[in-house]
Structure formats: C-alpha cells, structure tokens
Amino acid sequence: MRRNAKWLSAARIGLYAFLVISAAFFLLPLYVMLVTSLKGMPEIREGNMLSLPHAPTVAAWVKAWSSACTGLSCNGIQVGFLNSLKILFPSVTMSIAVGAVTGYALSLWRPRGAAWLFGILMAVAFVPYQVFLFPLVRMFSYVGLNSSLPGIIVVHTIFGLPTMTLIFRNYFAGIPLELIKAARVDGAGFWRIFGAIMLPMAVPIIVVAIILQVTGIWNDFIFGLVFAGRENFPMTVQLNNIVNSTQGEREYNVDMAATILTALVPLGVYFISGRWFVRGIAAGAVKG
Amino acid sequence: MTGVSVSSLTKAYGALRVLHDIDLDVQPGEFTVLLGPSGCGKSTLLSAIAGLDEIDGGTITIAGEDVTEREPSQRGIAMVFQSYALYPTMTVRGNMSFGLRVKRLSAAEIASRVAWAADLLQLTALLERKPGQLSGGQRQRVAIGRALVQRARLFLFDEPLSNLDAKLRTEMRVEIKKLHKELGMTIVYVTHDQIEAMTLATRIAVMRGGKIEQYAAPDELYERPATLFVAGFVGAPAMNFLPGIVRAGHVEIDSLSLPLDRVAVAGPVADGTKVILGVRPEHIGLADDGAPGVVVEAATDFLEPMGADTLGWFSVGRHRISARLAPQRARSVSGLVRLALDLRHASLFDADSECRY
Amino acid sequence: MAIGSRLAAQTALIPAMLIALVVYCGSTGWTIWISMTSSRMLPNNNFVGLRQYEILFANERWQVSVQNLALFGVLFITLALALGFFLAVLIDQRVRAEDLLRSVFLYPFSMSFIVTGLAWRWLLDPTLGIAKIAHDIGFEGVQFDWLVRQDRVIYTLLAAAIWHAAGLVMAIMLSGLRGIDQEIWKATRIDGIPAWRTYIFVVIPMLKGSFATATILMATSVVRLYDLSVAMTNGGPGIASEVPAKFVMDNLFERQNIGLATAAATSMLITVVAVVAPLLYAQNRAAARVAR
Ligand SMILES: Nc1ncnc2c1ncn2[C@@H]1O[C@H](COP(=O)(O)OP(=O)(O)O)[C@@H](O)[C@H]1O
Ligand SMILES: [Mg+2]
C-alpha cells in the first residue's frame, strides 16, 4: 500500500476530482438523450437541455417504437429492430462458423496456400470497405443476392472473416500439438478433431467472437445501407432515416428515444459481458 | 506380439537433419528405451514410428508389415505423451473411450475395456471426472489407460514421467514395469533420464545428434559402453576419464603407466595410439583396505557424502578422479592416499574415434 | 499426414479462399480497373489512364475530405491515446469504484457511430443544445455553434470520436499496466524514482504493445470514418465535414460517378497499403524468425 502522507491526500483529491469530471463528460450524452426522450417538445424548446423533465412521459418512446416516420411509412423503429434481429442471428452464426473452421485449418493443419490466404485476410482488416463495395454490388446483382436478407448475411460473413479467422487461429495455435497427435493416434480425422475436441475447448473464444460479432453487426450502418435493401434496412439505417426525415417539425424527444432504443442491444451486451468485451476487442486487434 | 523394425530412417526439418540413417530392431515383448540428451531426436524417432510426422527416407515395419505409408491409427499402436494430452473437455471415461468410439466399437465392448483398464490403474472412482480435477499422477494414469484400452500391439511412451515429482515418478515407474510384465506388450519408451532407462528397459538405444550410439541391454551398456559418449552419459556418478598414450603394452597417463593386459580389450592396440581410459567410481577403492587393482598415489581433494556412500574426489597427477567409498571409512580419508584402480572393469576408448577397443 | 484429413483441411478452406480470391482480390482489381476507365453511371471498359485521378485531385470536395481526414486522424489518435492512457494511470492508483469508472468510460465504445453521432449532434445543437445553456446563464461571448461553422465542424466530430474510443484505450492500457511486474515498482521505489518518471521512462516503453494495439484499432476506424459524419453533419455545413469514405459513397450511389468514386477508393487503398505494408512486413519477418 502506498503511504497516506499529507501531500498524497491532496494529490488523491485531485485524482478523484479529475476522474469524477471525466465520468461526467462520458455520461453527459447518455443523460441528455435520456432526459430529452422523456420530455415533451414545448419543454425541450423552452427549457434547459440538462434539466430533469417536469412531467416525464414515455409518449416519445411509444412513438419512436411504433409510429415514427421514415419517408412515407410510419411504423416506427420497430421495423428496423426486427430487421436487425433477422440479420443478426444468421450473420453471427455464419461468420463465426466460417471463421472458426478457417482458423482451425490454418492453425493446426498447414494446408496448401495457408500463408498467402492468411496474408490476404490480415491485409483486408485494414483496407477501407469502399474499395470492395461497387464490384460486390455488381456481383450480388448478378447472382440475385443484392438487396436481400441472404445478401446482407453473406456480406457480414465476408467482412467478419478476417477478424474471426484471426482470433480462432490464435486461440487454436495455443493448443498443445500433442493433443492433436493423441487424437490422430485415436483415429480421429480433421472434422472429428474439430467437432469433438477443438470446439468444446473453444467455448471462451466463441463467447468472445459472439460479443464481437453481435455488437459489430448490430452497429453496422454501411453494409446495411448498401446491401440489405429497403425492405431489410437494419435499425441503424432506419434510425438515421427517422432522424433525417423531413416531414413536419423535428421531434427531438422521439429522435432521442429511437437513438437509445437502437443502442440498447449493444449496451446490454456490454454490461452483461463486462470484461470479456475488452478481451474480445483486444483479441481482434492483435494481428499476426 | 509385435516387433518393430526401423531401417535407414532419415528425417530433416528444412536444412536441419534430425535423424541420420537410423536402424532399430525391437523384438516382440521387448521394452526398448530411447535414451539421450534433450534435442537428440528421440521424440522425432518415436513420432516417425507412430506415423505422426512425415519422414524423408527409410521404412518402418510393425509386426512384419511395412507401415511406412500408413496413418497413425492404422498402425495398431497406442501412445502416451509427455504432457499427457488428455482431452480437457471430456471426462476420464470420455478420454479413454474416444478412440474406441472413433473406431466404432460396440458400446458394450467399450464399457468393458474401460472398466478393465480403470480397474487395472485404480481409476474406477475417477471415471466421471474431468482432467482438470485430477492430480498429476492421476492424469498420468489416465493417459496410460487411454493407451491400454486400445489393446494395441505396440505402446509408445514419450517422456511420460518427466512432469511428475520425484516420488511419484518412482511409483509410476514401478507401475509401468508391472504392466509390461503382466500384459507383455512391446514398448518403445523415450526418456532422457538414465535411471528410468536402466530400471525399465530390456534394451536401451542411446541416441546422440540423431544417431544411435549403442543399442544393448542395460548391463551390457553399463559395463561395456561402446562409445565415450555412452560411457559418460550412462551411470551416476559419471565414469572417470583419463587420457593417455599406448606404449609397450601400457597406457601412459602423464607419469603413470598402467598395464594394458589387465584391461579387457577386443584386440591389440598399436603403440602411439591416443586413448582414453574409463574407470567407474565403484571400481576405484583404497588399496590399504585391500581393494583390488593397480595402485596409484593420489591426493584427497574433497568428499561428497551421498547417503548410501560417499564420493571421494582425488588428484592423480593433473587429473581428478572420483571413487565410491563407504561413508564410515571415508570420514578418515585425508591427505595422500593409495588408490586401487580395478582395470578388469575399465573401458578403453580411441581418443579420435571415441569408440571402444 | 492423413490423406483424408489433408483433403478435408483443404476443403475446409474453400469458402475462405473463394472469399479471398473473388471478393478481396477480385473486387480490388475490378475497382482499380474501373478507376482507369471513363465509367460514370455504369461501368465501361473505355480506358482513360489516370484521367479520373486528375479530376479527383482537382476536386475541391475531395481535397477537403483528405485534409479533414488527415487532421482528424492525427488529432483523434493522439488525443484518444493521451486521454485513455491518463485515465488508465489514474484508475491504476487503487481508486474506489474502479469497476464503475471503467464501465462509465468504456460504454460509449459499445454503441454505433450512428448513435454516437446523433447524440452529439443533439448535444451540440446550436439553438437548443449546450449553446442554449451557455446563452441562458449569460455566456454571450462564447459561441457553441461549432457544429454549423465551416472552420470548426471537424472538431465536433473529433469530440464525438474521442468520447467513443477513449474508454477502449483506457481498457487496453489498464490491462497492460496490470500486466507489469510489481517488482518493477518495488525496484523504482527502492531507487527513489518518482512515480511520474517511472511512468514516462519505464512504464510507457513497456506498454509498447498496448499502444500498438490501440493505435491499430483507431487507425482502422479513422480510414473507415463514414457513419459518424453522416449522422452528425452529413458532410456539412457545405462540404466542411466531408471525409474520403463518404466521398466514395456519394459518388457511387448518389452522383452516379463510378469512375471518380473508384479512383477515390483506390487512392484510399494506396495510402493504407503504403502505411501498413512495411509494418506487416516487419511483423511477418519477426514472426518467421520466432517460428524458426
Ligand atoms: N517441428 C520442428 N521443426 C523444426 N525443428 C524441430 C521440430 N521438432 C523438433 N525439431 C528439432 O529436431 C531436433 C530433435 O528434436 P526432438 O526429437 O524433439 O528431440 P528430443 O525428443 O530428443 O528432445 C531438435 O534439435 C529440435 O529442435
Ligand atoms: Mg522429446
């Protein structure tokens, strides 16, 4: 323990003061969104954005959920919510499945072409998506995937591949080689070893992958915008459309309620997963 | 019953040649130990026998069949690894039955084999536990059990005891020896521990730098080491080496002159040959107590009590040699003493080729 | 090795190899090719050399985008690293409520750029946001109207981005700090080295890996910066907060100028390759040496 000398306690007061002010800065936007969403429009126009609502009302939340307008349709953000769910589950499953198998094959089996494949995957992790978008749109149109649910799912699988492969490869590379040898002496082959030995051992990294992909795919905007099609716009795209829809007066309370609703899933993942969240992001960042 | 025969085996990792033209013949029911310092290629040789690593040349025959191109699981082998390599997510039962399930044996057959092995290794109470809940010694037994249920023709062990503490190691050594005696399987066993090798093996292959230096029974290896390396590697405390030159039927070591006719050598050694005389510490005694052998004058340097006996260190000319002494007698040893070197048990090596005469 | 297993391993890689070849390599090649044609609404094969690039670099909107990204990138990475590291050091002083503070600093990172952008756009609203509060309590002189000022708007993006990412830096740094051997602290205390010196001369060099990880993460998000600009300002006022990724998107999907858009995308790619390739090469060399 550090000694509690007098000059130190002064330093500690400064330390706590800075931490508290920082915390306030980080909480401010969330607080403002929340109080705004609970106010009526007159109060927002006249009052102070920081003040608590005089008469809290969930009217804005109800409207945001079920009847806010994007362009011509007025069905609220719930449409986007459902779309995001429809995109989320298959995309997370597919991207993790492909990434896990690829990472496993790369780490433990040294197949032909492993080196260049891994090199390309790592390079792509840095490349701006804009480079791929137009050709991909054309290819998808050609095979009839454009503006469809399967299309956006495939896109999430494609662009989740580098990170998913990387974290699974790194995880599997840490597994002792003798385990594979033992399984081979036992007569197990590639898929058997994967299913019976590797996957059960990979539960922690699968959790990390799920956290990473759920937040990543839920928060995606650009792929949803380009590949999902109007019918399947995810929540983020829907939110942006609601906020920027030009009909009538801007309703800040509805906008903020819709914004919070959109943030709810990743926030939930974050608060439930705790320190795993950081582990996941860091795992995805350590290349090579 | 199954023999193994390895011939002209070579293996390289890139430019690094790890195995040089290895020949090894293991008789059915034999307990062969591959002994050598770390990095000499023991595990590589064992992996080649198992079929886990591709080899660059040579053939491997198990039970008279050429298995060089076969899968590990098609060779009729079972293997125990240094890290045990237990599947961490499976129970003890799951670990032991996995290979049998892969081979699609009937559930009844699997259950009976697991029960048999568990009983033999006192693992019955632990069958539903996961490896993480076991002690080191228990894990070791599970690894052996996983091999036993295979009813394999040939057992391969790669340093199976090196992760255990000294006491457990001794216990497991005894158990493995007992298993071999009861079940009579053929075993190839890798270790760098010469005591393990001496106590377990029917024959030991001493390896060095990817070559087999000598392949012989433990007694033979100890008493008639074929090379300087084997002589130095086997036996603790180590053999004493005295470099000298052969002149007129004597080995001249500085001012000493020891008669060559006492040393058991295969043929005549030409005059002027540089040689190294090897004498084990237990073949050196105090001449005044009636120890047999050629007598030399020596100065006492220091004494190392080792429990059952005391190792005395002496200077003979420019050389230092050790002798195994009785502890009570050693206490009174000091100053100048007369040592008796029993040359009947000594070994003579060529200084250049390091081979035994 | 098993013929069957080797075949299976090779088969298992087919999806990844297809994606790598067709999507990653194929699309990149196609994009580069289009950027050297006169394509506008539809792609054509009318080769025009570097014509599109000449147009691109003469384009004011592109120039502004590039300048914005450079300024934003440098400031964002530096400030987020500094703030994140500082917060981590403070939290590492055995403070109370550590878990609560960590959660508070990190939660913004879990949210999307769209949400982040909309939240800050409302916060900085020139009529009803912070500006109004400042106005109401009598700060007439201070103008909180950066969101609508051409010369300041990029700093509002910066504030939002730092709010979004500083907690992540904090978390990475904190786990780095926790990984430092406690004996180092004992040794420096015995030597009588003040804590701040220890941090600067001992700890920061030891956290090289953490700094690299954080920098890579942020640099990647800088190049991809798009959603934040869309949500907060939609490039405005005027073209003051345009960024390269948005330039490409607008020209691809709204202005129907595919040739120009792909030229811009290719320029982004070349920049990234120029920066990343030497790093990856060095890292691969190091990895190869370890593997040997
Ligand atoms: N996968 C490998 N790649 C390159 N060199 C290896 C590999 N495995 C072993 N070696 C080298 O081969 C030599 C023999 O290794 P090994 O058979 O494991 O030795 P031992 O089991 O006798 O300690 C060592 O020098 C080791 O460095
Ligand atoms: Mg070994």
Side-chain angles (χ1 to χ4, degrees):
Chain A
M1 288 302 286
R2 281 164 211 183
R3 210 69 52 76
N4 229 355
K6 269 181 199 151
W7 66 270
L8 252 182
S9 65
R12 280 192 90 70
I13 290 171
L15 184 153
Y16 276 108
F18 187 89
L19 283 175
V20 168
I21 291 169
S22 303
F25 165 75
F26 279 91
L27 284 173
L28 184 67
L30 189 61
Y31 168 79
V32 169
M33 281 196 284
L34 205 60
V35 292
T36 304
S37 73
L38 294 171
K39 289 174 184 172
M41 272 314 287
E43 192 183 345
I44 292 174
R45 265 193 302 275
E46 268 125 55
N48 177 327
M49 115 186 298
L50 294 178
S51 65
L52 288 167
H54 293 309
T57 163
V58 293
W61 286 70
V62 174
K63 181 166 185 197
W65 177 252
S66 54
S67 64
C69 299
T70 64
L72 294 178
S73 62
C74 291
N75 296 320
I77 194 107
Q78 57 166 334
V79 182
F81 179 80
L82 290 177
N83 285 341
S84 275
L85 282 186
K86 277 189 257 173
I87 295 170
L88 187 71
F89 285 102
S91 302
V92 169
T93 315
M94 278 256 290
S95 59
I96 292 181
V98 177
V101 168
T102 310
Y104 164 67
L106 285 181
S107 61
L108 297 171
W109 292 87
R110 299 176 202 188
R112 245 166 238 265
W116 68 257
L117 177 63
F118 192 66
I120 291 178
L121 290 182
M122 287 312 93
V124 167
F126 298 97
V127 173
Y129 295 132
Q130 282 71 22
V131 174
F132 309 116
L133 287 185
F134 179 74
L136 211 52
V137 168
R138 300 288 296 193
M139 287 184 217
F140 274 34
S141 308
Y142 188 75
V143 296
L145 276 176
N146 209 15
S147 298
S148 71
L149 208 51
I152 180 74
I153 292 164
V154 170
V155 166
H156 280 306
T157 308
I158 288 174
F159 290 103
L161 185 64
T163 305
M164 290 300 105
T165 301
L166 180 78
I167 65 172
F168 278 100
R169 186 197 82 128
N170 287 355
Y171 187 82
F172 288 134
I175 287 177
L177 220 54
E178 284 200 342
L179 218 53
I180 311 293
K181 293 187 177 180
R184 286 182 56 205
V185 172
D186 271 343
F190 181 86
W191 291 111
R192 187 80 180 233
I193 295 176
F194 183 64
I197 297 166
M198 290 301 139
L199 272 191
M201 285 181 74
V203 170
I205 203 70
I206 293 175
V207 172
V208 165
I210 290 176
I211 293 170
L212 218 53
Q213 288 302 83
V214 168
T215 36
I217 290 171
W218 192 274
N219 287 341
D220 158 67
F221 175 76
I222 191 167
F223 294 135
L225 184 66
V226 176
F227 292 97
R230 197 158 291 278
E231 295 299 300
N232 306 305
F233 272 161
M235 207 170 180
T236 47
V237 177
Q238 204 95 12
L239 171 70
N240 198 50
N241 288 347
I242 287 178
V243 172
N244 289 322
S245 90
T246 44
Q247 292 173 335
E249 173 201 43
R250 284 201 62 181
E251 294 178 292
Y252 294 108
N253 48 0
V254 175
D255 291 353
M256 286 305 116
T259 309
I260 297 175
L261 283 169
T262 307
L264 235 38
V265 166
L267 274 179
V269 170
Y270 168 64
F271 281 109
I272 292 169
S273 61
R275 295 193 181 191
W276 285 72
F277 185 81
V278 184
R279 225 183 112 181
I281 293 154
V286 184
K287 313 282 179 199
Chain B
M1 268 328 159
T2 310
V4 187
S5 152
V6 173
S7 68
S8 317
L9 181 66
T10 56
K11 163 85 185 165
Y13 286 112
L16 178 72
R17 291 195 67 181
V18 180
L19 295 178
H20 302 260
D21 211 13
I22 296 270
D23 290 299
L24 182 74
D25 205 41
V26 181
Q27 295 300 312
E30 195 163 22
F31 196 135
T32 287
V33 170
L34 305 180
L35 174 68
S38 170
C40 71
K42 307 179 296 290
S43 297
T44 308
L45 176 53
L46 201 69
S47 278
I49 296 174
L52 288 168
D53 282 330
E54 274 158 47
I55 58 175
D56 299 327
T59 55
I60 293 158
T61 314
I62 296 178
E65 290 175 60
D66 183 345
V67 298
T68 316
E69 300 295 325
R70 280 203 212 156
E71 270 304 284
S73 52
Q74 305 300 315
R75 296 186 178 203
I77 56 164
M79 192 159 175
V80 177
F81 294 89
Q82 178 170 12
S83 64
Y84 315 143
L86 299 181
Y87 311 125
T89 55
M90 298 183 195
T91 60
V92 170
R93 182 189 298 284
N95 266 281
M96 296 215 275
S97 53
F98 180 67
L100 305 179
R101 276 185 283 133
V102 172
K103 295 193 176 84
R104 295 178 192 281
L105 264 61
S106 74
E109 173 68 13
I110 294 175
S112 92
R113 285 200 196 181
V114 170
W116 165 76
D119 184 49
L120 203 62
L121 294 163
Q122 295 139 44
L123 288 171
T124 311
L126 307 175
L127 277 175
E128 305 311 324
R129 294 220 201 148
K130 297 256 176 87
Q133 302 164 303
L134 302 177
S135 71
Q138 289 167 338
R139 280 181 217 179
Q140 172 63 69
R141 292 214 299 276
V142 175
I144 294 176
R146 185 171 67 181
L148 282 182
V149 294
Q150 299 290 329
R151 300 270 164 87
R153 309 180 284 185
L154 172 63
F155 276 68
L156 307 176
F157 288 82
D158 191 353
E159 310 225 13
L161 304 184
S162 62
N163 284 338
L164 299 178
D165 62 45
K167 185 164 173 290
L168 261 178
R169 202 178 314 166
T170 317
E171 284 173 23
M172 283 310 299
R173 215 164 65 199
V174 174
E175 287 210 32
I176 291 175
K177 187 153 188 163
K178 229 171 70 189
L179 279 176
H180 178 240
K181 212 164 182 172
E182 282 168 18
L183 305 176
M185 66 280 225
T186 311
I187 294 180
V188 180
Y189 183 110
V190 165
T191 182
H192 63 265
D193 179 343
Q194 48 141 333
I195 301 193
E196 228 169 274
M198 298 293 280
T199 50
L200 288 172
T202 55
R203 266 202 289 176
I204 300 175
V206 180
M207 290 184 67
R208 175 203 197 185
K211 291 190 177 122
I212 293 181
E213 295 251 321
Q214 185 174 10
Y215 182 36
D219 295 348
E220 166 86 1
L221 204 69
Y222 190 78
E223 281 156 22
R224 300 176 47 80
T227 66
L228 198 62
F229 174 78
V230 174
F233 193 78
V234 175
M239 186 182 265
N240 295 296
F241 292 129
L242 296 165
I245 293 182
V246 174
R247 288 242 162 73
H250 284 68
V251 185
E252 292 187 354
I253 301 164
D254 299 336
S255 56
L256 283 178
S257 180
L258 305 177
L260 199 51
D261 55 4
R262 300 278 191 87
V263 183
V265 289
V269 184
D271 265 17
T273 312
K274 284 192 192 150
V275 295
I276 292 170
L277 182 71
V279 190
R280 294 211 181 268
E282 57 265 40
H283 299 135
I284 301 177
L286 295 167
D288 298 343
D289 295 353
V294 182
V295 177
V296 298
E297 298 255 308
T300 311
D301 289 338
F302 53 91
L303 300 169
E304 277 184 333
M306 301 198 304
D309 34 38
T310 295
L311 202 61
W313 288 92
F314 305 93
S315 289
V316 178
R318 292 186 296 117
H319 304 287
R320 174 172 283 169
I321 61 174
S322 63
R324 230 185 244 263
L325 307 171
Q328 296 90 332
R329 179 69 184 84
R331 268 176 228 132
S332 59
V333 170
S334 67
L336 280 181
V337 293
R338 280 159 26 91
L339 294 178
L341 276 53
D342 190 351
L343 295 185
R344 288 169 304 174
H345 298 288
S347 301
L348 192 70
F349 303 97
D350 186 281
D352 296 325
S353 71
E354 302 195 346
C355 287
R356 180 188 188 89
Y357 279 107
Chain C
M1 193 170 298
I3 312 280
S5 284
R6 175 178 282 182
L7 201 68
Q10 214 67 53
T11 317
L13 278 191
I14 288 178
M17 292 213 166
L18 270 181
I19 290 174
L21 282 180
V22 176
V23 179
Y24 299 156
C25 298
S27 305
T28 308
W30 196 352
T31 292
I32 294 172
W33 167 246
I34 297 173
S35 77
M36 293 190 281
T37 67
S38 64
S39 306
R40 284 195 71 86
M41 205 173 124
L42 292 170
N44 64 37
N45 284 336
N46 180 12
F47 184 74
V48 295
L50 298 179
R51 194 68 235 288
Q52 296 285 11
Y53 293 85
E54 284 166 28
I55 299 172
L56 177 70
F57 286 100
N59 184 313
E60 194 199 346
R61 200 185 181 91
W62 174 252
Q63 290 166 358
V64 171
S65 301
V66 171
Q67 283 161 14
N68 275 342
L69 194 71
L71 180 67
F72 174 90
V74 170
L75 288 179
F76 168 62
I77 293 179
T78 324
L79 294 177
L81 278 181
L83 178 61
F85 178 69
F86 192 56
L87 287 174
V89 168
L90 294 190
I91 286 189
D92 197 32
Q93 308 302 312
R94 297 159 206 270
V95 295
R96 281 155 200 263
E98 178 191 318
D99 282 346
L100 181 68
L101 284 169
R102 287 166 59 117
S103 303
V104 167
F105 294 147
L106 185 56
Y107 85 91
F109 190 76
S110 71
M111 305 202 285
S112 63
F113 278 120
I114 295 293
V115 167
T116 303
L118 293 178
W120 278 82
R121 169 167 148 189
W122 169 233
L123 201 65
L124 299 176
D125 190 282
T127 49
L128 296 173
I130 301 278
K132 181 159 183 284
I133 297 174
H135 188 89
D136 287 355
I137 58 175
F139 278 107
E140 294 292 341
V142 189
Q143 292 288 319
F144 278 95
D145 58 354
W146 286 17
L147 201 57
V148 291
R149 276 178 61 178
Q150 302 227 354
D151 57 337
R152 294 290 155 83
V153 65
I154 195 71
Y155 298 104
T156 63
L157 292 186
L158 186 65
I162 290 175
W163 176 80
H164 186 253
L168 175 71
V169 178
M170 180 275 303
I172 292 172
M173 294 298 166
L174 192 56
S175 74
L177 286 173
R178 294 282 151 87
I180 287 178
D181 190 351
Q182 283 301 307
E183 311 241 307
I184 300 259
W185 284 108
K186 290 182 193 160
T188 57
R189 275 171 68 200
I190 287 168
D191 291 347
I193 300 168
W196 66 270
R197 270 179 171 270
T198 309
Y199 272 111
I200 292 178
F201 295 109
V202 181
V203 172
I204 290 184
M206 286 177 79
L207 291 185
K208 253 193 317 205
S210 304
F211 275 98
T213 302
T215 308
I216 287 174
L217 276 171
M218 286 189 292
T220 316
S221 75
V222 167
V223 183
R224 291 178 178 168
L225 181 67
Y226 168 68
D227 325 16
L228 191 63
S229 168
V230 167
M232 242 175 118
T233 59
N234 206 13
I239 56 168
S241 60
E242 290 287 344
V243 287
K246 187 162 174 298
F247 182 94
V248 177
M249 295 297 284
D250 291 350
N251 277 290
L252 273 185
F253 299 110
E254 272 157 36
R255 294 162 176 257
Q256 316 285 7
N257 197 342
I258 293 164
L260 191 64
T262 49
T266 307
S267 305
M268 292 172 73
L269 175 66
I270 291 170
T271 314
V272 170
V273 168
V275 175
V276 169
L279 288 176
L280 276 185
Y281 180 72
Q283 206 176 26
N284 264 351
R285 287 275 305 260
R289 233 175 297 132
V290 171
R292 200 133 296 160

